Amino acid sequence: MTEPTSTTQRAGRREWCGLAVIALACVLYVMDLTVLHLAVPALSADLQPSSTQMLWIIDIYGFMIAGSLITMGSLGDRIGRRRLLLIGAAAFGVTSVLAAFSTSPEMLIVTRALLGVSGATLAPSTLSLIRSMFHDPRQRTTAIGIWITSFSAGAAIGPVLGGVVLEYFWWGAVFLLNVPVMIALLVLGPRLLPEYRDPDAGRADLPSAALSLAAMLALVYGLKRVAQDGMTATAVVTALAGVGLAFVFVRRQRRLTDPLIDLSLFRIPAFSAALATYGIGIFVLFGGFLFIPQYLQLVLGMTPLEAGLWTLPWALSFVVGSNVTPILARRIDPTWLMGGGLLLAAVGFALLLGIEPGSGLPLIVLGSIGFSLGMSPVFTLTNDLIIGSAPPERAGAAAGVSETAAEVGGALGIAVLGSIGVAVYRRDVEDALPGTLASEQDAAARGTLGGAVEVAEGLPAASGEALMNAAEAAFTTGVHLGALIAAVSSLALAGFVLSRGRVGVLTEEPEPVEEPVDVAVDEPVACGDGCRP
């Protein structure tokens, strides 16, 4: 890592307080990805959506985020990162209220889509603002560790807070959790956050934005359908259409004078290597963790709340790991720190190979702690590299590309390892199905472990127990295979990182200090000592 020098401007109290504000916004960004799942029963009873409408209500938020990230990251460089963040926060607050008081499934789908577009401004804007606020490499690594922590905190808090709200209020109240935080961001943002934009960015290309959105929507939707339904013609064609549109998007960027994404970023070795490591790391994590919540509920028999509580160790491990990484990075070369973390992650995934049907909770907890702690340095340091290696005027676009890589990596991990797990389950459970089942029951039991549980409950005791034993064993085999692939992938990624040499060194010279376009308040803003790490 670059040692701080006297010419490197260090962040003060104001910047750390600003970081606290944008981290809170990121907590809500992640919470909205998960909190609605708890409200599905009440929402279904009130709005009575069809099964297809319910899928779109749940999924459209993530789809629109994935499709809008590149555009929003580049737009922040053009109109100002703080301005885009504040516009997005205002839109997020308004659409949250509209979603809360939706009166039909169609209205909720539309408002969730608008929430996704608004949410897509948060991650790239906040990450690129960190690039503008923290010029000292050590401080920036710490800030990015806190930024990563906010995502882990959102994933941990979302189900718990959502459950508490739904205990006392109607389903729409889960959306109103966003409003106070967004109001705080609108009030404090102009005082605590600097503005920065590229004065030579040129005009945004609307056809490129449309191509980016269409490509990501098709690709992520296709991958999600592969995970849910297997390699169906619709799923494969949709995913391939997304790849084709992405190719057209890249071709267009090469011809434009002012492209939405400067493709020269990918010729920066540190940027491209860090981006690949980040995307593959997300692929491994999402794919390896995919079946654990289902295993806790359907095999170990936990309630959703109990299962959620037992997933807290991995979320808290990410919090710890993300905040310890900057300290370790001052003493250990980042290449070795990431490589060692990936080896620890491989051990964590390997522990999952020891679980058996109806048991294995200690191994799940230990394994999830292991791969969470191991992946923390990867996510913190790769984002540091991605932002630090990009030119300051392209930080927003770099952040958008980074988050898009995470979205694609996650969707690909779920699709690939999810499809493999489902294929193994269907193969192994087939021989245990009673020949007396109706066609609908047979299809349900073959399809998922949840379907097998429902079918078994309606069978005679002996037949139901035999089906459950076979289904649990088949599902556990799928978990083993997913964990094995994740462990091997972690080892391969560790080899890639270590073979790069000192990939963690951003630069041998101190960074030039970005001059903000304008700052609303020149004097330091009072803030407690807790704002500075």
Side-chain angles (χ1 to χ4, degrees):
M1 299 290 288
T2 304
E3 292 297 323
T5 70
S6 58
T7 60
T8 303
Q9 178 179 320
R10 291 178 60 81
R13 181 175 297 175
R14 178 181 184 173
E15 285 77 17
W16 292 113
C17 291
L19 177 63
V21 173
I22 61 179
L24 190 56
C26 291
V27 169
L28 289 182
Y29 165 87
V30 177
M31 281 177 54
D32 254 45
L33 288 169
T34 59
V35 72
L36 189 63
H37 290 80
L38 296 172
V40 165
L43 186 158
S44 299
D46 185 17
L47 301 183
Q48 298 183 348
S50 67
S51 58
T52 300
Q53 287 174 328
M54 179 56 71
L55 287 175
W56 280 106
I57 288 170
I58 294 173
D59 293 337
I60 191 64
Y61 177 74
F63 289 163
M64 295 305 293
I65 284 178
S68 306
L69 282 167
I70 290 177
T71 298
M72 293 305 177
S74 180
L75 186 61
D77 290 337
R78 286 170 163 80
I79 71 171
R81 297 163 190 171
R82 184 183 68 188
R83 177 181 295 176
L84 181 64
L85 178 62
L86 297 179
I87 292 172
F92 202 86
V94 171
T95 50
S96 294
V97 174
L98 294 175
F101 294 98
S102 293
T103 57
S104 67
E106 294 81 4
M107 180 178 177
L108 186 54
I109 291 171
V110 172
T111 53
R112 287 277 288 170
L114 294 175
L115 273 173
V117 176
S118 304
T121 67
L122 299 180
S125 293
T126 52
L127 185 56
S128 58
L129 278 170
I130 288 174
R131 178 69 167 84
S132 302
M133 295 161 64
F134 298 92
H135 305 285
D136 178 81
R138 286 186 176 180
Q139 288 188 322
R140 187 174 63 236
T141 303
T142 300
I144 291 177
I146 294 172
W147 182 79
I148 292 288
T149 296
S150 68
F151 290 93
S152 302
I157 293 171
V160 177
L161 186 57
V164 172
V165 169
L166 291 169
E167 187 73 21
Y168 299 100
F169 301 99
W170 91 112
W171 61 265
V174 297
F175 294 110
L176 298 182
L177 293 171
N178 303 327
V179 177
V181 176
M182 292 305 157
I183 291 175
L185 180 57
L186 290 171
V187 172
L188 296 176
R191 291 180 58 81
L192 296 175
L193 303 176
E195 182 60 288
Y196 183 88
R197 62 177 177 266
D198 180 8
D200 302 317
R203 299 180 61 181
D205 182 58
L206 293 181
S208 292
L211 277 172
S212 170
L213 177 62
M216 288 302 302
L217 281 176
L219 179 59
V220 174
Y221 176 78
L223 292 174
K224 190 173 181 66
R225 300 313 305 175
V226 168
Q228 291 181 351
D229 304 327
M231 301 291 285
T232 63
T234 301
V236 173
V237 169
T238 304
L240 291 177
V243 174
L245 289 170
F247 178 76
V248 174
F249 171 80
V250 172
R251 288 284 300 271
R252 183 173 181 84
Q253 303 315 293
R254 289 175 175 171
R255 297 196 302 267
L256 291 174
T257 303
D258 298 314
L260 198 64
I261 294 181
D262 184 358
L263 297 181
S264 65
L265 286 173
F266 294 91
R267 293 195 290 271
I268 302 174
F271 178 89
S272 57
L275 187 67
T277 303
Y278 184 42
I280 296 172
I282 292 287
F283 166 88
V284 172
L285 180 67
F286 274 53
F289 189 72
L290 175 63
F291 294 111
I292 291 180
Q294 298 177 66
Y295 186 90
L296 293 175
Q297 294 180 67
L298 299 176
V299 179
L300 298 185
M302 294 183 181
T303 65
L305 178 58
E306 290 172 335
L309 291 175
W310 280 111
T311 62
L312 285 178
W314 73 263
L316 295 176
S317 297
F318 264 115
V319 171
V320 172
S322 300
N323 286 281
V324 169
T325 293
I327 299 173
L328 295 177
R330 298 170 189 171
R331 298 167 174 80
I332 303 173
D333 182 274
T335 300
W336 290 101
L337 185 55
M338 286 191 287
L342 287 164
L343 294 177
L344 176 59
V347 172
F349 287 122
L351 287 175
L352 301 181
L353 298 174
I355 65 175
E356 298 294 337
S359 65
L361 181 59
L363 289 176
I364 290 175
V365 173
L366 289 175
S368 64
I369 290 174
F371 63 66
S372 298
L373 287 174
M375 286 293 184
S376 298
V378 177
F379 297 158
T380 300
L381 295 175
T382 52
N383 274 286
D384 191 8
L385 280 164
I386 290 167
I387 291 300
S389 60
E393 65 275 10
R394 295 288 183 264
V401 171
S402 172
E403 290 306 297
T404 301
E407 293 287 341
V408 174
L412 193 61
I414 291 172
V416 172
L417 297 188
S419 298
I420 291 173
V422 169
V424 169
Y425 169 81
R426 291 174 176 172
R427 182 200 65 190
D428 290 358
V429 82
E430 184 174 0
D431 295 337
L433 294 176
T436 57
L437 292 179
S439 59
E440 297 84 0
Q441 291 178 312
D442 185 86
R446 290 174 188 271
T448 64
L449 177 58
V453 171
E454 292 184 8
V455 171
E457 290 175 350
L459 296 177
S463 299
E465 183 178 357
L467 175 58
M468 279 303 305
N469 289 338
E472 290 178 358
F475 188 83
T476 303
T477 301
V479 174
H480 289 166
L481 184 56
L484 178 61
I485 294 173
V488 172
S489 300
S490 297
L491 291 174
L493 189 57
F496 169 76
V497 169
L498 293 174
S499 70
R500 299 290 302 180
R502 289 176 55 81
V503 70
V505 177
L506 302 181
T507 174
E508 295 302 326
E509 299 295 332
E511 296 183 29
V513 175
E514 299 174 29
E515 291 296 332
V517 173
D518 68 291
V519 177
V521 178
D522 293 327
E523 68 274 14
V525 177
C527 181
D529 292 338
C531 290
R532 185 193 296 269

mmCIF file with all atom_site columns, all heavy atoms in Angstrom, residues 414-430:
data_model
loop_
_atom_site.group_PDB
_atom_site.id
_atom_site.type_symbol
_atom_site.label_atom_id
_atom_site.label_alt_id
_atom_site.label_comp_id
_atom_site.label_asym_id
_atom_site.label_entity_id
_atom_site.label_seq_id
_atom_site.pdbx_PDB_ins_code
_atom_site.Cartn_x
_atom_site.Cartn_y
_atom_site.Cartn_z
_atom_site.occupancy
_atom_site.B_iso_or_equiv
_atom_site.pdbx_formal_charge
_atom_site.auth_seq_id
_atom_site.auth_comp_id
_atom_site.auth_asym_id
_atom_site.auth_atom_id
_atom_site.pdbx_PDB_model_num
ATOM 1   N N   . ILE A 1 414 ? -25.734 -17.760 -8.270  1.00 0.00 ? 414 ILE A N   1
ATOM 2   C CA  . ILE A 1 414 ? -27.019 -18.378 -7.931  1.00 0.00 ? 414 ILE A CA  1
ATOM 3   C C   . ILE A 1 414 ? -27.495 -19.277 -9.062  1.00 0.00 ? 414 ILE A C   1
ATOM 4   O O   . ILE A 1 414 ? -27.986 -20.388 -8.833  1.00 0.00 ? 414 ILE A O   1
ATOM 5   C CB  . ILE A 1 414 ? -28.057 -17.287 -7.621  1.00 0.00 ? 414 ILE A CB  1
ATOM 6   C CG1 . ILE A 1 414 ? -27.687 -16.578 -6.308  1.00 0.00 ? 414 ILE A CG1 1
ATOM 7   C CG2 . ILE A 1 414 ? -29.460 -17.873 -7.517  1.00 0.00 ? 414 ILE A CG2 1
ATOM 8   C CD1 . ILE A 1 414 ? -28.536 -15.367 -6.012  1.00 0.00 ? 414 ILE A CD1 1
ATOM 9   N N   . ALA A 1 415 ? -27.339 -18.799 -10.317 1.00 0.00 ? 415 ALA A N   1
ATOM 10  C CA  . ALA A 1 415 ? -27.823 -19.580 -11.453 1.00 0.00 ? 415 ALA A CA  1
ATOM 11  C C   . ALA A 1 415 ? -27.025 -20.861 -11.641 1.00 0.00 ? 415 ALA A C   1
ATOM 12  O O   . ALA A 1 415 ? -27.592 -21.954 -11.779 1.00 0.00 ? 415 ALA A O   1
ATOM 13  C CB  . ALA A 1 415 ? -27.763 -18.727 -12.720 1.00 0.00 ? 415 ALA A CB  1
ATOM 14  N N   . VAL A 1 416 ? -25.701 -20.747 -11.636 1.00 0.00 ? 416 VAL A N   1
ATOM 15  C CA  . VAL A 1 416 ? -24.860 -21.910 -11.921 1.00 0.00 ? 416 VAL A CA  1
ATOM 16  C C   . VAL A 1 416 ? -24.931 -22.928 -10.786 1.00 0.00 ? 416 VAL A C   1
ATOM 17  O O   . VAL A 1 416 ? -25.285 -24.101 -10.994 1.00 0.00 ? 416 VAL A O   1
ATOM 18  C CB  . VAL A 1 416 ? -23.399 -21.473 -12.176 1.00 0.00 ? 416 VAL A CB  1
ATOM 19  C CG1 . VAL A 1 416 ? -22.492 -22.693 -12.279 1.00 0.00 ? 416 VAL A CG1 1
ATOM 20  C CG2 . VAL A 1 416 ? -23.318 -20.639 -13.441 1.00 0.00 ? 416 VAL A CG2 1
ATOM 21  N N   . LEU A 1 417 ? -24.587 -22.499 -9.573  1.00 0.00 ? 417 LEU A N   1
ATOM 22  C CA  . LEU A 1 417 ? -24.583 -23.449 -8.465  1.00 0.00 ? 417 LEU A CA  1
ATOM 23  C C   . LEU A 1 417 ? -25.998 -23.852 -8.072  1.00 0.00 ? 417 LEU A C   1
ATOM 24  O O   . LEU A 1 417 ? -26.221 -24.980 -7.628  1.00 0.00 ? 417 LEU A O   1
ATOM 25  C CB  . LEU A 1 417 ? -23.835 -22.856 -7.272  1.00 0.00 ? 417 LEU A CB  1
ATOM 26  C CG  . LEU A 1 417 ? -22.350 -22.561 -7.524  1.00 0.00 ? 417 LEU A CG  1
ATOM 27  C CD1 . LEU A 1 417 ? -21.657 -22.173 -6.233  1.00 0.00 ? 417 LEU A CD1 1
ATOM 28  C CD2 . LEU A 1 417 ? -21.648 -23.758 -8.132  1.00 0.00 ? 417 LEU A CD2 1
ATOM 29  N N   . GLY A 1 418 ? -26.962 -22.931 -8.226  1.00 0.00 ? 418 GLY A N   1
ATOM 30  C CA  . GLY A 1 418 ? -28.343 -23.289 -7.957  1.00 0.00 ? 418 GLY A CA  1
ATOM 31  C C   . GLY A 1 418 ? -28.837 -24.361 -8.908  1.00 0.00 ? 418 GLY A C   1
ATOM 32  O O   . GLY A 1 418 ? -29.500 -25.325 -8.492  1.00 0.00 ? 418 GLY A O   1
ATOM 33  N N   . SER A 1 419 ? -28.519 -24.217 -10.196 1.00 0.00 ? 419 SER A N   1
ATOM 34  C CA  . SER A 1 419 ? -28.941 -25.220 -11.173 1.00 0.00 ? 419 SER A CA  1
ATOM 35  C C   . SER A 1 419 ? -28.290 -26.568 -10.911 1.00 0.00 ? 419 SER A C   1
ATOM 36  O O   . SER A 1 419 ? -28.933 -27.622 -11.034 1.00 0.00 ? 419 SER A O   1
ATOM 37  C CB  . SER A 1 419 ? -28.596 -24.737 -12.587 1.00 0.00 ? 419 SER A CB  1
ATOM 38  O OG  . SER A 1 419 ? -29.278 -23.546 -12.897 1.00 0.00 ? 419 SER A OG  1
ATOM 39  N N   . ILE A 1 420 ? -27.027 -26.543 -10.535 1.00 0.00 ? 420 ILE A N   1
ATOM 40  C CA  . ILE A 1 420 ? -26.337 -27.800 -10.233 1.00 0.00 ? 420 ILE A CA  1
ATOM 41  C C   . ILE A 1 420 ? -26.976 -28.472 -9.025  1.00 0.00 ? 420 ILE A C   1
ATOM 42  O O   . ILE A 1 420 ? -27.232 -29.684 -9.018  1.00 0.00 ? 420 ILE A O   1
ATOM 43  C CB  . ILE A 1 420 ? -24.841 -27.538 -9.997  1.00 0.00 ? 420 ILE A CB  1
ATOM 44  C CG1 . ILE A 1 420 ? -24.162 -27.126 -11.311 1.00 0.00 ? 420 ILE A CG1 1
ATOM 45  C CG2 . ILE A 1 420 ? -24.153 -28.773 -9.411  1.00 0.00 ? 420 ILE A CG2 1
ATOM 46  C CD1 . ILE A 1 420 ? -22.731 -26.679 -11.147 1.00 0.00 ? 420 ILE A CD1 1
ATOM 47  N N   . GLY A 1 421 ? -27.254 -27.684 -7.978  1.00 0.00 ? 421 GLY A N   1
ATOM 48  C CA  . GLY A 1 421 ? -27.868 -28.244 -6.785  1.00 0.00 ? 421 GLY A CA  1
ATOM 49  C C   . GLY A 1 421 ? -29.241 -28.831 -7.065  1.00 0.00 ? 421 GLY A C   1
ATOM 50  O O   . GLY A 1 421 ? -29.583 -29.922 -6.578  1.00 0.00 ? 421 GLY A O   1
ATOM 51  N N   . VAL A 1 422 ? -30.041 -28.127 -7.875  1.00 0.00 ? 422 VAL A N   1
ATOM 52  C CA  . VAL A 1 422 ? -31.375 -28.625 -8.215  1.00 0.00 ? 422 VAL A CA  1
ATOM 53  C C   . VAL A 1 422 ? -31.283 -29.901 -9.046  1.00 0.00 ? 422 VAL A C   1
ATOM 54  O O   . VAL A 1 422 ? -32.054 -30.855 -8.848  1.00 0.00 ? 422 VAL A O   1
ATOM 55  C CB  . VAL A 1 422 ? -32.173 -27.533 -8.975  1.00 0.00 ? 422 VAL A CB  1
ATOM 56  C CG1 . VAL A 1 422 ? -33.453 -28.116 -9.564  1.00 0.00 ? 422 VAL A CG1 1
ATOM 57  C CG2 . VAL A 1 422 ? -32.506 -26.382 -8.029  1.00 0.00 ? 422 VAL A CG2 1
ATOM 58  N N   . ALA A 1 423 ? -30.330 -29.936 -9.988  1.00 0.00 ? 423 ALA A N   1
ATOM 59  C CA  . ALA A 1 423 ? -30.165 -31.138 -10.809 1.00 0.00 ? 423 ALA A CA  1
ATOM 60  C C   . ALA A 1 423 ? -29.784 -32.343 -9.948  1.00 0.00 ? 423 ALA A C   1
ATOM 61  O O   . ALA A 1 423 ? -30.301 -33.457 -10.147 1.00 0.00 ? 423 ALA A O   1
ATOM 62  C CB  . ALA A 1 423 ? -29.106 -30.894 -11.883 1.00 0.00 ? 423 ALA A CB  1
ATOM 63  N N   . VAL A 1 424 ? -28.896 -32.152 -8.983  1.00 0.00 ? 424 VAL A N   1
ATOM 64  C CA  . VAL A 1 424 ? -28.499 -33.237 -8.098  1.00 0.00 ? 424 VAL A CA  1
ATOM 65  C C   . VAL A 1 424 ? -29.684 -33.697 -7.254  1.00 0.00 ? 424 VAL A C   1
ATOM 66  O O   . VAL A 1 424 ? -29.925 -34.901 -7.082  1.00 0.00 ? 424 VAL A O   1
ATOM 67  C CB  . VAL A 1 424 ? -27.329 -32.793 -7.183  1.00 0.00 ? 424 VAL A CB  1
ATOM 68  C CG1 . VAL A 1 424 ? -27.085 -33.806 -6.077  1.00 0.00 ? 424 VAL A CG1 1
ATOM 69  C CG2 . VAL A 1 424 ? -26.070 -32.591 -8.009  1.00 0.00 ? 424 VAL A CG2 1
ATOM 70  N N   . TYR A 1 425 ? -30.449 -32.742 -6.750  1.00 0.00 ? 425 TYR A N   1
ATOM 71  C CA  . TYR A 1 425 ? -31.621 -33.087 -5.939  1.00 0.00 ? 425 TYR A CA  1
ATOM 72  C C   . TYR A 1 425 ? -32.606 -33.926 -6.753  1.00 0.00 ? 425 TYR A C   1
ATOM 73  O O   . TYR A 1 425 ? -33.090 -34.968 -6.284  1.00 0.00 ? 425 TYR A O   1
ATOM 74  C CB  . TYR A 1 425 ? -32.302 -31.813 -5.439  1.00 0.00 ? 425 TYR A CB  1
ATOM 75  C CG  . TYR A 1 425 ? -33.650 -32.060 -4.813  1.00 0.00 ? 425 TYR A CG  1
ATOM 76  C CD1 . TYR A 1 425 ? -33.764 -32.491 -3.497  1.00 0.00 ? 425 TYR A CD1 1
ATOM 77  C CD2 . TYR A 1 425 ? -34.829 -31.898 -5.556  1.00 0.00 ? 425 TYR A CD2 1
ATOM 78  C CE1 . TYR A 1 425 ? -35.002 -32.743 -2.924  1.00 0.00 ? 425 TYR A CE1 1
ATOM 79  C CE2 . TYR A 1 425 ? -36.071 -32.139 -4.992  1.00 0.00 ? 425 TYR A CE2 1
ATOM 80  C CZ  . TYR A 1 425 ? -36.151 -32.564 -3.679  1.00 0.00 ? 425 TYR A CZ  1
ATOM 81  O OH  . TYR A 1 425 ? -37.366 -32.832 -3.123  1.00 0.00 ? 425 TYR A OH  1
ATOM 82  N N   . ARG A 1 426 ? -32.925 -33.481 -7.941  1.00 0.00 ? 426 ARG A N   1
ATOM 83  C CA  . ARG A 1 426 ? -33.913 -34.194 -8.755  1.00 0.00 ? 426 ARG A CA  1
ATOM 84  C C   . ARG A 1 426 ? -33.427 -35.591 -9.125  1.00 0.00 ? 426 ARG A C   1
ATOM 85  O O   . ARG A 1 426 ? -34.219 -36.537 -9.158  1.00 0.00 ? 426 ARG A O   1
ATOM 86  C CB  . ARG A 1 426 ? -34.223 -33.381 -10.012 1.00 0.00 ? 426 ARG A CB  1
ATOM 87  C CG  . ARG A 1 426 ? -34.988 -32.091 -9.717  1.00 0.00 ? 426 ARG A CG  1
ATOM 88  C CD  . ARG A 1 426 ? -35.160 -31.225 -10.949 1.00 0.00 ? 426 ARG A CD  1
ATOM 89  N NE  . ARG A 1 426 ? -35.972 -30.047 -10.641 1.00 0.00 ? 426 ARG A NE  1
ATOM 90  C CZ  . ARG A 1 426 ? -36.157 -29.031 -11.478 1.00 0.00 ? 426 ARG A CZ  1
ATOM 91  N NH1 . ARG A 1 426 ? -35.588 -29.051 -12.671 1.00 0.00 ? 426 ARG A NH1 1
ATOM 92  N NH2 . ARG A 1 426 ? -36.907 -28.000 -11.114 1.00 0.00 ? 426 ARG A NH2 1
ATOM 93  N N   . ARG A 1 427 ? -32.149 -35.727 -9.392  1.00 0.00 ? 427 ARG A N   1
ATOM 94  C CA  . ARG A 1 427 ? -31.608 -37.048 -9.725  1.00 0.00 ? 427 ARG A CA  1
ATOM 95  C C   . ARG A 1 427 ? -31.695 -38.004 -8.548  1.00 0.00 ? 427 ARG A C   1
ATOM 96  O O   . ARG A 1 427 ? -32.128 -39.149 -8.688  1.00 0.00 ? 427 ARG A O   1
ATOM 97  C CB  . ARG A 1 427 ? -30.144 -36.903 -10.156 1.00 0.00 ? 427 ARG A CB  1
ATOM 98  C CG  . ARG A 1 427 ? -29.463 -38.194 -10.569 1.00 0.00 ? 427 ARG A CG  1
ATOM 99  C CD  . ARG A 1 427 ? -27.962 -38.044 -10.494 1.00 0.00 ? 427 ARG A CD  1
ATOM 100 N NE  . ARG A 1 427 ? -27.508 -37.831 -9.116  1.00 0.00 ? 427 ARG A NE  1
ATOM 101 C CZ  . ARG A 1 427 ? -26.277 -37.487 -8.790  1.00 0.00 ? 427 ARG A CZ  1
ATOM 102 N NH1 . ARG A 1 427 ? -25.384 -37.242 -9.742  1.00 0.00 ? 427 ARG A NH1 1
ATOM 103 N NH2 . ARG A 1 427 ? -25.938 -37.334 -7.516  1.00 0.00 ? 427 ARG A NH2 1
ATOM 104 N N   . ASP A 1 428 ? -31.312 -37.522 -7.359  1.00 0.00 ? 428 ASP A N   1
ATOM 105 C CA  . ASP A 1 428 ? -31.237 -38.407 -6.202  1.00 0.00 ? 428 ASP A CA  1
ATOM 106 C C   . ASP A 1 428 ? -32.599 -38.725 -5.593  1.00 0.00 ? 428 ASP A C   1
ATOM 107 O O   . ASP A 1 428 ? -32.777 -39.771 -4.969  1.00 0.00 ? 428 ASP A O   1
ATOM 108 C CB  . ASP A 1 428 ? -30.325 -37.799 -5.128  1.00 0.00 ? 428 ASP A CB  1
ATOM 109 C CG  . ASP A 1 428 ? -28.869 -37.800 -5.551  1.00 0.00 ? 428 ASP A CG  1
ATOM 110 O OD1 . ASP A 1 428 ? -28.573 -38.297 -6.654  1.00 0.00 ? 428 ASP A OD1 1
ATOM 111 O OD2 . ASP A 1 428 ? -28.027 -37.296 -4.782  1.00 0.00 ? 428 ASP A OD2 1
ATOM 112 N N   . VAL A 1 429 ? -33.558 -37.787 -5.724  1.00 0.00 ? 429 VAL A N   1
ATOM 113 C CA  . VAL A 1 429 ? -34.854 -38.005 -5.068  1.00 0.00 ? 429 VAL A CA  1
ATOM 114 C C   . VAL A 1 429 ? -35.793 -38.858 -5.919  1.00 0.00 ? 429 VAL A C   1
ATOM 115 O O   . VAL A 1 429 ? -36.786 -39.403 -5.417  1.00 0.00 ? 429 VAL A O   1
ATOM 116 C CB  . VAL A 1 429 ? -35.520 -36.654 -4.736  1.00 0.00 ? 429 VAL A CB  1
ATOM 117 C CG1 . VAL A 1 429 ? -36.238 -36.081 -5.966  1.00 0.00 ? 429 VAL A CG1 1
ATOM 118 C CG2 . VAL A 1 429 ? -36.511 -36.798 -3.579  1.00 0.00 ? 429 VAL A CG2 1
ATOM 119 N N   . GLU A 1 430 ? -35.475 -38.994 -7.185  1.00 0.00 ? 430 GLU A N   1
ATOM 120 C CA  . GLU A 1 430 ? -36.402 -39.661 -8.102  1.00 0.00 ? 430 GLU A CA  1
ATOM 121 C C   . GLU A 1 430 ? -36.729 -41.092 -7.692  1.00 0.00 ? 430 GLU A C   1
ATOM 122 O O   . GLU A 1 430 ? -37.891 -41.515 -7.720  1.00 0.00 ? 430 GLU A O   1
ATOM 123 C CB  . GLU A 1 430 ? -35.815 -39.646 -9.521  1.00 0.00 ? 430 GLU A CB  1
ATOM 124 C CG  . GLU A 1 430 ? -36.748 -40.232 -10.564 1.00 0.00 ? 430 GLU A CG  1
ATOM 125 C CD  . GLU A 1 430 ? -36.201 -40.065 -11.970 1.00 0.00 ? 430 GLU A CD  1
ATOM 126 O OE1 . GLU A 1 430 ? -35.101 -39.494 -12.114 1.00 0.00 ? 430 GLU A OE1 1
ATOM 127 O OE2 . GLU A 1 430 ? -36.874 -40.500 -12.912 1.00 0.00 ? 430 GLU A OE2 1
#
